[in-house]
Amino acid sequence: MKNKLFLFLLFLSTTNFFGQSTNDSIYSSNIYSLFIKANQFIYAQQDSAYHYYNEINKLARNKNDFETLIHSINASNKSAAHFYDLERMKANFKQLDSIVLKNETKLKEIENVLFYTNSINQDKGIYYYLLNNNEKSRNAFLTIINTTEALKEKELNVYHLDLLTSAYSFIAKMYFNDGKYDLAKEYYTKNIHILETKKANDLYKINRNYSLLAEVLKSQKQYTLSNSYFKKSLAFNLNNNGNSSSIITEANHLLENYLTTKKIDSSTYYLKIMQDNLSENHPRWNVFHEAKAKILQAENNYLEAEKELQRALELIKQKWLNQPHNTIAEAYNNLGLLHAKFNQPEKALENYNLALQQFSINVNPSTINQTTLLKILKNKAEILNALANPSGSLETVNEAIQTLDLLKPSFKNNTDKLFLMEEAFPIFESGLEATYNLYQKTKQDSLIDKAFFYSEKSKSALLLEALLSTKATTFANIPKEIIEQEQVLKSKINHTEKQINRSANDVLQEQLFQLKNEYRDLITTIETNYKSYFNLKYNSEVISADQVQDLLKPEDVLLSYFYGNHAIYTIAITKSSKTIQRHKIYTNLEDEIIGIYQMLNNPKSNLKTLNSKTYTLYEKLVAPSLANINPKNIIIVADGLLNYIPFSSLNTDTTKNKYLVEDHAISYANSATLLKQLIEKEVVNNEVLAFAPSFSNASSTLLPLPNNTAEATDILNYFKGKTLTSNQATLENFNTESSKYGILHFATHAILDDETPEYSYLAFQPNATNNNLLYVSDLYNLNLNTNLVTLSACESGIGNLKRGEGFMSLARGFYFSGASSISSTLWKINDASALKIMDSFYKNLSKKEPKNSALQKAQIAFLNTNKQNALIHPYYWSGFVISGNTTALASSSNLIWYILGGIVFIIAGGIFRKRTKSKI
């Protein structure tokens, strides 16, 4: 900020602003001298700074010099913002608005009018930012961005750029505060690019943005990269007499990062840097006391940590004149967390309640307040359960869920939405814990209903929103040209992202930034102008347990799992019953589940050991829910690490190889609410389009699949349609043909990208231009409405596991594109076994078997054929899973026509013989 003011003074002197309204050189000299004196105190002694600005204001008014007056009041705002003197800022804005209104005509004639108005916009943006009024703050900064970027290149001077880059920084910071980290990263990256290309000498501001970007990386748990940016910026500030607030901020973040990695000595080093750069009246002593408390807490010094947090709280209250504020709530929350950690639940609850009082007078329900409120409610619900107060916990959980539902529509970026849901996950676990404990006392079925509600609310929010958005577009009567505009923008964004993924450059990054902004603006416009679209897209209702019972057949059971931090809950629902089970998570459970998955996808693993381990899992997590019922069909709503396990492979008998699939047809759903949506979907037809590329040519880096052509071709024995093999199995043919068919079958390779799930892909026929890959991100822009998608490729059902959302896999991507059901694989499937199981699967489907039953019978047939050889290992057959709407396909089977033709032939033959006899 010091650099900014020096720049400002230079601007005044070089543009002859002093005296534009007067030719008095003595006056100009006095004004300049007063500005220099004020600058000495601007961030050190607010009273002294105000004194000199007031002197400038008097002189400027006497000379009727409104330009100097505006500059002086703007500079005074910089000092007021630093010392959180919001009353001074408010009074200054009142003066500025009056001056601008009074001199409106003259201002328009001045060459640098945009600098004047945007300087005022900047200060207003900062003022509203400090008040947590994000909407007004963002509007002020967007005005700066829009007006500055509308200038021609030759009109864009260093002063405009200074305001522009400040605006980008503040908008990014607001997104960061809202928990929208990916959006914040976009804006910081954009800002750094502007600075490095157009203000390369402004090292202060470049390093400040490095620091802000490091803060985002820290929140995304990228600590090493975060530290590298923080250290670079801190070193610059220490060596160049940088702003003390920046030094304190950066040292504090480094302190916290090192505490996260258990390096207390390094944290103490940065605490000393903070202390050395705090003057006696510095407004950020509270940050120092909070940082010291964190080190004391890490050293298990509870009492001293509490003293430091209490001191921080006192300073924050003084800063905000004991008026309700978000940072006061955060301070109370920190105290609550400290008490909770050291087993003082009553004190923790007291502080959480004091934090919540900050929101009781909800003058400004901005996003950041809502985000903080959600965090505090989450902590309060957990502590109420610890105090054996389940009723109080449920009340708190319900309030938290209402807050979450209000927040979700403001998160437009999928990465940020995933982060929000992951942060909120403990809220649902608190609700389940409370309802389970109450149910054990009362045995009231309504508590199972409530538990099911919490479990459903935690699942597949993004996928459900995508399906509802498609439905909303239809029902809201949005004009076709707007829908087309959205589709074009989504397609451009996807295309540009793929280009960047292959070879990043600044031009593409700039294009992507603008496209995403344009897309966000369009969606906001649609949601504002078409209320029915907004209401349906963000419909937060989930299916009830009673509605699930209406959906189920008498032979069905739905097993809904919630995999929490402390326990796994299983809710079993049949047509006529509901039960809830809890299995507490023990130390080695996660390792055991991962170990089972590793043995399942390794055909050389010991079958006896594997069966023993899966029996233990069955006994703990499945058998209790199946007691007293004998369902034909089991619908699994998996959660957490359970997504890795094909339940069909669970051994149900300690004395022999007896698998769950032998007694039950098993299918999967991301959530019961999503399942209901999939059942209601309309489909195109039941004709098949199958793809079997060849990977035997020299240009392919993927291994050949010897049986994939036979697999794809054999499907036409049972269904009408088309098989595209070798040079016909191209991505181009998929794009042009796929929407015409109700069944899509892919006998090809699937390649996972764990770091960036959107770039996992299906491989089509290799070609010279290497444009033969169908990425997950491409699927988000398709509208297929298929009844069944079969991905018999390697690991098509696996991907990055996200809490509540499941695998970010190719299979999930096809749900976004409109599929009703998906057959996929959980590991690299043996090509020969895939051929046999898929042939049997489609044969069963052609006989109008439900999809889950068709797969069950195919797997049982494979088991029966291979009971005496190594192929009985679950690796060969249990990796195939069916999810979604498992209703039988209305037949378009060639086999059926052959059978009907045969029957007609037999009947005709009988009639002919009968007629022949009668003639004789």
Side-chain angles (χ1 to χ4, degrees):
M1 272 192 163
K2 287 181 181 176
N3 287 19
K4 183 184 291 187
L5 195 71
F6 282 126
L7 185 70
F8 165 65
L9 290 171
L10 179 66
F11 177 51
L12 297 181
S13 62
T14 56
T15 55
N16 295 317
F17 269 13
F18 304 132
Q20 277 196 357
S21 299
T22 174
N23 292 318
D24 190 338
S25 59
I26 298 174
Y27 164 77
S28 298
S29 177
N30 287 340
I31 291 290
Y32 188 80
S33 175
L34 288 168
F35 267 116
I36 293 294
K37 290 176 181 178
N39 182 51
Q40 293 174 357
F41 300 104
I42 187 168
Y43 302 124
Q45 296 178 22
Q46 66 188 112
D47 290 339
S48 297
Y50 291 166
H51 167 75
Y52 289 112
Y53 289 128
N54 289 338
E55 290 297 310
I56 295 169
N57 295 346
K58 287 177 187 176
L59 290 174
R61 283 194 175 94
N62 289 338
K63 288 287 186 178
N64 197 26
D65 182 2
F66 70 88
E67 299 174 52
T68 299
L69 188 57
I70 290 174
H71 286 304
S72 174
I73 297 172
N74 275 340
S76 172
N77 275 333
K78 303 293 183 290
S79 184
H82 179 76
F83 289 102
Y84 293 90
D85 188 351
L86 300 184
E87 289 300 320
R88 173 84 179 200
M89 294 186 79
K90 186 176 180 180
N92 283 346
F93 291 135
K94 192 173 182 180
Q95 291 186 66
L96 285 167
D97 289 342
S98 175
I99 294 166
V100 169
L101 184 64
K102 183 178 177 181
N103 298 279
E104 187 174 7
T105 304
K106 292 180 180 178
L107 270 172
K108 289 179 180 177
E109 297 170 356
I110 296 172
E111 181 183 355
N112 293 292
V113 60
L114 187 60
F115 176 80
Y116 282 117
T117 55
N118 276 345
S119 294
I120 296 170
N121 282 326
Q122 181 190 54
D123 289 338
K124 285 185 176 181
I126 293 170
Y127 172 75
Y128 287 119
Y129 172 82
L130 293 173
L131 283 177
N132 294 324
N133 191 330
N134 283 1
E135 184 178 357
K136 286 188 175 181
S137 179
R138 192 175 284 117
N139 286 340
F141 288 121
L142 282 174
T143 300
I144 296 172
I145 290 172
N146 293 335
T147 54
T148 305
E149 291 187 341
L151 293 173
K152 295 176 182 177
E153 188 69 27
K154 63 181 181 181
E155 298 172 325
L156 195 63
N157 59 41
V158 67
Y159 316 110
H160 294 312
L161 284 170
D162 193 57
L163 292 169
L164 175 68
T165 52
S166 290
Y168 270 115
S169 286
F170 271 102
I171 289 179
K173 183 65 175 173
M174 281 184 273
Y175 281 132
F176 173 80
N177 290 341
D178 291 348
K180 299 168 183 174
Y181 299 137
D182 234 42
L183 268 177
K185 191 189 291 185
E186 282 182 27
Y187 272 79
Y188 284 135
T189 303
K190 162 78 173 176
N191 206 31
I192 289 169
H193 174 67
I194 294 173
L195 287 164
E196 290 180 339
T197 55
K198 297 186 178 181
K199 287 194 73 184
N201 293 328
D202 193 349
L203 297 177
Y204 168 80
K205 205 160 192 177
I206 290 172
N207 278 279
R208 180 64 187 138
N209 276 268
Y210 285 159
S211 176
L212 293 166
L213 178 59
E215 193 175 358
V216 179
L217 295 167
K218 173 190 172 190
S219 295
Q220 295 180 322
K221 301 180 181 178
Q222 299 180 43
Y223 299 116
T224 303
L225 187 57
S226 172
N227 282 349
S228 68
Y229 278 108
F230 277 134
K231 287 179 179 179
K232 186 186 296 186
S233 182
L234 179 60
F236 173 82
N237 282 314
L238 289 171
N239 294 329
N240 294 277
N241 195 26
N243 183 284
S244 59
S245 291
S246 295
I247 292 171
I248 291 157
T249 297
E250 288 151 4
N252 183 47
H253 282 303
L254 284 162
L255 179 151
E256 291 176 343
N257 280 354
Y258 280 113
L259 277 180
T260 302
T261 54
K262 312 294 185 187
K263 296 178 180 177
I264 295 178
D265 288 345
S266 296
S267 296
T268 304
Y269 168 79
Y270 287 106
L271 184 70
K272 180 69 166 56
I273 290 177
M274 293 173 69
Q275 189 171 18
D276 291 344
N277 286 274
L278 282 163
S279 59
E280 184 179 352
N281 297 316
H282 200 286
R284 303 204 68 197
W285 272 103
N286 64 293
V287 179
F288 171 81
H289 291 294
E290 288 170 339
K292 188 174 179 181
K294 287 168 187 167
I295 292 176
L296 290 166
Q297 183 175 331
E299 294 172 337
N300 290 319
N301 193 335
Y302 167 56
L303 294 177
E304 291 301 315
E306 183 184 13
K307 288 179 185 177
E308 293 296 329
L309 287 180
Q310 288 288 359
R311 181 64 184 134
L313 175 63
E314 290 169 13
L315 291 171
I316 293 168
K317 283 183 173 181
Q318 289 173 19
K319 182 183 293 183
W320 296 107
L321 304 175
N322 282 315
Q323 295 298 309
H325 196 271
N326 199 69
T327 52
I328 299 176
E330 291 271 16
Y332 277 122
N333 184 57
N334 289 337
L335 275 162
L337 290 170
L338 176 73
H339 293 312
K341 179 181 178 181
F342 289 94
N343 199 27
Q344 298 292 325
E346 291 86 359
K347 286 186 176 181
L349 180 60
E350 179 186 352
N351 279 279
Y352 293 145
N353 284 331
L354 287 168
L356 292 171
Q357 285 179 16
Q358 298 299 309
F359 304 99
S360 58
I361 305 172
N362 199 3
V363 178
N364 174 39
S366 68
T367 307
I368 183 173
N369 279 341
Q370 295 296 314
T371 305
T372 306
L373 175 61
L374 183 68
K375 178 168 58 178
I376 298 165
L377 290 169
K378 173 182 72 175
N379 296 335
K380 181 180 176 181
E382 289 178 350
I383 214 68
L384 285 166
N385 276 330
L387 287 165
N389 184 352
S391 297
S393 181
L394 286 181
E395 184 179 337
T396 306
V397 166
N398 291 337
E399 186 180 351
I401 289 174
Q402 289 176 4
T403 304
L404 179 64
D405 286 341
L406 288 172
L407 266 176
K408 280 193 290 190
S410 72
F411 281 66
K412 307 297 184 188
N413 179 292
N414 278 349
T415 303
D416 293 334
K417 288 177 190 175
L418 284 169
F419 186 85
L420 173 67
M421 292 304 296
E422 188 163 339
E423 288 293 292
F425 203 78
I427 294 168
F428 304 116
E429 183 167 12
S430 292
L432 278 154
E433 181 181 351
T435 50
Y436 180 83
N437 289 334
L438 281 173
Y439 179 75
Q440 295 310 304
K441 295 178 181 177
T442 65
K443 299 300 179 183
Q444 293 178 2
D445 273 3
S446 61
L447 289 166
I448 298 179
D449 297 343
K450 196 70 178 172
F452 182 72
F453 168 78
Y454 295 138
S455 183
E456 277 293 295
K457 288 290 286 186
S458 73
K459 298 183 189 302
S460 296
L462 264 67
L463 186 49
L464 184 61
E465 182 187 303
L467 294 184
L468 290 175
S469 178
T470 302
K471 184 183 289 187
T473 302
T474 303
F475 284 101
N477 294 318
I478 298 172
K480 288 182 179 179
E481 58 270 20
I482 295 179
I483 296 172
E484 185 177 338
Q485 186 182 355
E486 184 201 5
Q487 291 170 339
V488 167
L489 282 172
K490 284 172 67 178
S491 180
K492 284 183 175 180
I493 289 169
N494 183 40
H495 177 71
T496 307
E497 284 178 333
K498 286 195 291 186
Q499 284 184 299
I500 290 171
N501 190 51
R502 287 193 291 267
S503 177
N505 63 63
D506 291 340
V507 174
L508 288 173
Q509 294 285 6
E510 172 66 19
Q511 287 176 4
L512 182 62
F513 182 85
Q514 298 299 341
L515 284 168
K516 285 185 173 181
N517 265 349
E518 193 177 341
Y519 181 74
R520 282 191 291 269
D521 290 344
L522 177 63
I523 293 301
T524 301
T525 301
I526 294 172
E527 291 175 356
T528 303
N529 295 342
Y530 300 91
K531 293 297 182 185
S532 57
Y533 172 87
F534 181 92
N535 293 336
L536 184 53
K537 178 179 179 180
Y538 298 113
N539 180 4
S540 59
E541 292 182 10
V542 294
I543 193 171
S544 68
D546 288 343
Q547 288 173 315
V548 170
Q549 289 184 309
D550 293 337
L551 205 65
L552 297 176
K553 300 182 181 69
E555 62 271 22
D556 296 343
V557 63
L558 181 134
L559 299 184
S560 180
Y561 290 89
F562 180 95
Y563 198 123
N565 293 322
H566 309 294
I568 297 173
Y569 295 88
T570 312
I571 300 170
I573 303 176
T574 70
K575 195 75 173 174
S576 58
S577 67
K578 291 173 276 189
T579 62
I580 184 170
Q581 309 287 337
R582 180 173 70 180
H583 182 77
K584 289 189 177 180
I585 294 175
Y586 50 88
T587 307
N588 297 325
L589 179 62
E590 292 194 358
D591 290 338
E592 288 176 9
I593 293 173
I594 292 170
I596 288 171
Y597 176 74
Q598 290 171 342
M599 292 186 75
L600 282 168
N601 66 34
N602 177 10
K604 296 180 180 180
S605 65
N606 185 281
L607 184 59
K608 185 176 180 181
T609 303
L610 174 60
N611 285 343
S612 174
K613 288 178 179 291
T614 61
Y615 176 79
T616 301
L617 204 61
Y618 164 77
E619 190 178 40
K620 290 175 180 176
L621 298 181
V622 180
S625 298
L626 298 185
N628 305 317
I629 60 173
N630 186 29
K632 178 182 177 185
N633 305 308
I634 301 177
I635 303 166
I636 302 290
V637 181
D639 194 28
L641 290 176
L642 296 179
N643 281 284
Y644 282 101
I645 304 300
F647 281 61
S648 59
S649 69
L650 298 183
N651 193 32
T652 61
D653 194 322
T654 55
T655 63
K656 58 182 178 179
N657 296 335
K658 176 76 171 177
Y659 297 105
L660 190 63
V661 72
E662 295 182 69
D663 295 317
H664 310 280
I666 299 166
S667 64
Y668 300 82
N670 295 68
S671 74
T673 306
L674 184 67
L675 179 61
K676 182 176 182 291
Q677 293 290 330
L678 296 175
I679 289 173
E680 293 171 353
K681 281 180 67 67
E682 294 182 3
V683 296
V684 179
N685 55 49
N686 287 317
E687 294 187 5
V688 67
L689 178 64
F691 292 87
S694 170
F695 300 100
S696 57
N697 58 48
S699 64
S700 176
T701 58
L702 299 170
L703 293 174
L705 297 171
N707 297 297
N708 71 329
T709 299
E711 176 188 321
T713 304
D714 287 352
I715 300 169
L716 297 187
N717 291 332
Y718 311 113
F719 285 88
K720 291 180 179 179
K722 183 192 296 185
T723 293
L724 300 176
T725 63
S726 193
N727 291 333
Q728 291 299 308
T730 63
L731 179 59
E732 182 181 359
N733 282 336
F734 166 80
N735 288 328
T736 57
E737 298 282 331
S738 57
S739 61
K740 304 171 188 175
Y741 294 85
I743 302 171
L744 298 176
H745 183 99
F746 301 92
T748 183
H749 284 288
I751 305 299
L752 299 181
D753 187 329
D754 281 333
E755 289 188 8
T756 315
E758 292 83 359
Y759 297 120
S760 298
Y761 60 81
L762 280 176
F764 285 81
Q765 185 65 28
N767 57 31
T769 55
N770 290 322
N771 61 342
N772 64 314
L773 308 179
L774 178 67
Y775 292 95
V776 169
S777 59
D778 296 321
L779 296 173
Y780 297 158
N781 299 316
L782 297 178
N783 186 16
L784 298 177
N785 291 324
T786 46
N787 197 330
L788 172 65
V789 173
T790 297
L791 303 164
S792 68
C794 307
E795 300 176 299
S796 55
I798 288 285
N800 198 349
L801 185 61
K802 292 291 184 182
R803 249 187 168 171
E805 288 291 324
F807 288 127
M808 310 302 284
S809 64
L810 280 158
R812 183 176 180 274
F814 273 100
Y815 277 129
F816 274 88
S817 71
S820 294
S821 63
I822 296 171
S823 171
S824 57
T825 54
L826 294 178
W827 52 74
K828 294 179 180 179
I829 296 296
N830 177 271
D831 190 42
S833 61
L835 172 63
K836 293 176 182 177
I837 290 174
M838 284 294 98
D839 183 74
S840 183
F841 174 60
Y842 279 100
K843 182 178 181 180
N844 296 332
L845 285 175
S846 72
K847 296 176 181 177
K848 296 190 177 181
E849 287 280 359
K851 301 183 191 89
N852 58 334
S853 178
L855 182 59
Q856 177 200 23
K857 290 183 176 180
Q859 289 175 325
I860 290 175
F862 187 88
L863 277 170
N864 290 337
T865 304
N866 296 287
K867 276 189 174 180
Q868 304 304 318
N869 62 52
L871 297 181
I872 195 173
H873 193 291
Y875 160 80
Y876 291 98
W877 55 268
S878 69
F880 293 96
V881 294
I882 186 78
S883 63
N885 179 4
T886 60
T887 307
L889 298 173
S891 178
S892 62
S893 165
N894 290 333
L895 181 62
I896 294 296
W897 289 109
Y898 296 151
I899 294 170
L900 288 175
I903 292 170
V904 170
F905 179 78
I906 292 168
I907 293 172
I911 294 170
F912 177 78
R913 286 194 296 272
K914 187 174 180 182
R915 287 181 176 174
T916 304
K917 285 181 181 179
S918 63
K919 288 181 181 178
I920 294 171

